[in-house]
Amino acid sequence: MTKMPKQTAHVDISHIVSEVKKHGFYSSYCDSFSHGASNHNELILMIKMLAKNAHLKVSFNVAESICIFEALVD
């Protein structure tokens, strides 16, 4: 499983896309994307927009605060 450490401060979308192509998914702590988010709802919206712009889908494991990126199925 590909998972970023919780301390990671910067997330590179090209790396996420590459990992999704290579492994079929990419998971990360949601806090890795917290730049500029003032609350949890804004953070989730930012992550969803990031996934949409990269042509990926994203799901969330709320209990673990993890987001999982996958390729869109056509």
Side-chain angles (χ1 to χ4, degrees):
M1 177 166 94
T2 304
K3 190 186 324 186
M4 297 292 291
K6 199 168 194 168
Q7 298 83 6
T8 301
H10 180 268
V11 176
D12 180 5
I13 191 62
S14 62
H15 176 71
I16 293 172
V17 171
S18 174
E19 290 293 310
V20 168
K21 286 181 181 177
K22 186 175 181 180
H23 300 288
F25 74 98
Y26 177 88
S27 64
S28 178
Y29 288 101
C30 295
D31 291 346
S32 300
F33 299 90
S34 63
H35 310 293
S38 60
N39 60 51
H40 182 73
N41 290 336
E42 188 176 315
L43 174 61
I44 298 302
L45 182 61
M46 287 174 57
I47 294 170
K48 287 180 178 181
M49 291 302 296
L50 178 69
K52 180 180 178 183
N53 291 340
H55 305 290
L56 300 172
K57 67 178 180 175
V58 63
S59 55
F60 298 91
N61 177 323
V62 179
E64 298 291 332
S65 297
I66 295 174
C67 51
I68 301 105
F69 295 87
E70 298 175 276
L72 289 172
V73 178
D74 294 330

